Amino acid sequence: MSDVSGVVRFEGHLGYHPTWICEACAEPWPCHTFRNIPTENFRDKLLPVMSFMLRTAIRDRREQAHGPEPYEIVKRFLWFLGLTDDEARASAATVR
């Protein structure tokens, strides 16, 4: 059983620094299974956790020759906010 900082508990589907690949299904994390967890009841707790991980994922990406662009990582990690590409780019620009 995995725990995302006390927010939600579920089997397996977590990704970790520096690869951000799901430990259960080997998809880019957050994977499809993780993104399908209903977020309505804990969105306020999920946002800071995912934002923290997002910053690390963008920094990890900067050290790789290939991979998603920072705004794509923002959209992937903050899927539950429904950001547009422009909003994701603006958010990614603030991550150092």
Side-chain angles (χ1 to χ4, degrees):
M1 183 86 59
S2 297
D3 184 1
V4 179
S5 296
V7 175
V8 64
R9 294 181 66 80
F10 56 95
E11 289 296 324
H13 291 271
L14 285 177
Y16 299 98
H17 160 80
T19 64
W20 300 103
I21 299 297
C22 177
E23 66 185 5
C25 64
E27 291 182 21
W29 192 85
C31 65
H32 181 74
T33 300
F34 188 90
R35 290 190 317 266
N36 280 325
I37 296 168
T39 61
E40 299 83 32
N41 295 331
F42 58 89
R43 182 176 286 187
D44 59 329
K45 294 179 182 176
L46 186 61
L47 183 58
V49 172
M50 295 304 289
S51 295
F52 175 78
M53 291 183 197
L54 164 73
R55 294 177 68 82
T56 303
I58 288 176
R59 289 179 184 145
D60 290 341
R61 163 57 185 101
R62 288 185 182 140
E63 295 175 8
Q64 300 172 0
H66 304 288
E69 292 298 319
Y71 86 92
E72 293 170 316
I73 296 171
V74 169
K75 287 186 78 170
R76 194 168 97 195
F77 276 65
L78 301 179
W79 80 95
F80 56 93
L81 296 179
L83 299 174
T84 66
D85 286 353
D86 288 341
E87 290 168 332
R89 281 186 180 92
S91 182
T94 66
V95 177
R96 305 257 178 245

